[in-house]
Amino acid sequence: MNDQQTELRQAALFWLAEPDAVRKAAGVRSLAQAWSSGKMQLDSLAAPVESHVIPGRPDKPELVSPLAVKRRGMNTPEGRAALIHALVHIEFNAINLALDAIWRFSDMPRDYYADWLQVADEEALHFTLLSGHLQALGYAYGDFPGHNSLWEMAGKTRNDVLARMALVPRTMEARGLDAVPSIRAKLAQVGDKAAVAILDIILRDEIGHVAIGNRWYGFLCEQRALAPLETYARLAAEHAAPVLRGPFNLPARRAAGFSELELAELGGGGGQGSHG
């Protein structure tokens, strides 16, 4: 990022377009520090201009259909590394999603941009912790294939911040809340204490990220005089969002701001208790 790039949304676009994953994560963490120390300006009204190839991503991992991602047993070092790699890839995509939420959507309150910069910063930390652990296992990001379903939903919701809030943090990332307890249990079972500790950090932070999605979804529904539940059902159908299947981590979803009515409508998929 050059010295002149002191406007938050332009800086977010710069790092979104950065193809080197390690540079991207480090750049985002520096950007968050610059913002918190008052060195960044915000132009919330600037119309987005897609002048870069986004998102910037490294040549590897090879992107394949989710159905083509091989499932490996956790009883081998390679199987455990493949699972950690999948988590690294999710966090890389999550950095891009948070940066895109900053850059793409204009005319939102200042707190919206600050919230999504916090998300980007925390996703960058998660990426750094997980990729470091992957290296300790003898592998690197890119050694296994990955899929692109997270970013595909970003593409589907590129024209409406309401749809983005509904279907990325409140749907895709909330599914992560449901998945973490079972992944954590598998890693604990094979004695990977370092990975378990990282997942504890991730679950704590991801509850906050989903809460941010819920906050801005609620804000936009109120601004547009829309009923949240009916609007969510309509947007999920319009954009072919994944069907939610249990078990659901109800304590985490509750902590992230889902209403009791929404939790009841999940269809009694069962609750994953707290894993702590």
Side-chain angles (χ1 to χ4, degrees):
M1 190 167 69
N2 61 45
D3 293 337
Q4 287 74 44
Q5 205 148 17
T6 57
E7 195 280 315
L8 177 62
R9 292 175 64 216
Q10 286 302 315
L13 176 57
F14 177 90
W15 290 115
L16 178 60
E18 169 58 53
D20 184 287
V22 173
R23 268 180 51 83
K24 187 192 296 273
V28 167
R29 305 226 70 201
S30 296
L31 174 59
Q33 288 180 333
W35 171 262
S36 64
S37 62
K39 295 175 183 171
M40 304 294 297
Q41 305 299 314
L42 171 66
D43 181 354
S44 63
L45 296 177
V49 179
E50 203 160 331
S51 57
H52 297 60
V53 176
I54 59 171
R57 58 171 77 251
D59 292 336
K60 289 185 172 183
E62 175 194 2
L63 297 179
V64 298
S65 158
L67 299 174
V69 177
K70 264 173 48 180
R71 293 189 178 276
R72 294 174 169 88
M74 288 286 291
N75 53 347
T76 68
E78 184 188 34
R80 184 154 48 104
L83 174 59
I84 300 297
H85 185 278
L87 298 175
V88 174
H89 183 59
I90 288 168
E91 298 298 337
F92 175 77
N93 275 296
I95 298 170
N96 287 333
L97 286 165
L99 292 173
D100 195 72
I102 296 169
W103 160 77
R104 185 173 296 280
F105 301 112
S106 56
D107 201 21
M108 291 291 286
R110 182 182 180 87
D111 282 356
Y112 167 89
Y113 301 102
D115 276 353
W116 285 105
L117 180 58
Q118 176 189 330
V119 173
D121 184 33
E122 290 172 355
E123 305 291 20
L125 170 63
H126 302 165
F127 173 86
T128 302
L129 292 172
L130 285 166
S131 58
H133 186 54
L134 184 64
Q135 287 178 333
L137 297 175
Y139 294 85
Y141 180 48
D143 284 354
F144 300 91
H147 65 78
N148 203 29
S149 57
L150 262 176
W151 187 260
E152 285 167 3
M153 184 56 74
K156 290 179 182 180
T157 57
R158 61 187 293 170
N159 294 319
D160 184 8
V161 64
L162 176 69
R164 175 66 62 86
M165 294 300 105
L167 300 179
V168 174
R170 298 184 80 253
T171 302
M172 307 299 282
E173 292 191 66
R175 291 172 84 200
L177 300 181
D178 301 329
V180 165
S182 63
I183 295 170
R184 184 191 186 279
K186 287 176 186 174
L187 290 165
Q189 195 170 16
V190 295
D192 193 336
K193 292 180 181 177
V196 166
I198 295 169
L199 279 176
D200 286 343
I201 293 168
I202 289 174
L203 181 59
R204 178 199 70 201
D205 291 347
E206 293 295 339
I207 288 171
H209 301 173
V210 177
I212 284 169
N214 272 323
R215 174 189 181 185
W216 292 108
Y217 178 71
F219 169 88
L220 289 157
C221 284
E222 188 174 334
Q223 187 182 63
R224 300 183 191 184
L226 296 169
L229 266 64
E230 291 85 343
T231 301
Y232 177 80
R234 174 177 60 80
L235 291 169
E238 277 178 16
H239 298 285
V243 176
L244 299 181
R245 291 188 174 87
F248 299 109
N249 188 342
L250 296 180
R253 282 178 173 266
R254 193 170 281 118
F258 285 99
S259 71
E260 292 304 319
L261 190 55
E262 285 176 294
L263 296 179
E265 285 201 354
L266 288 173
Q272 285 274 15
S274 158
H275 66 309

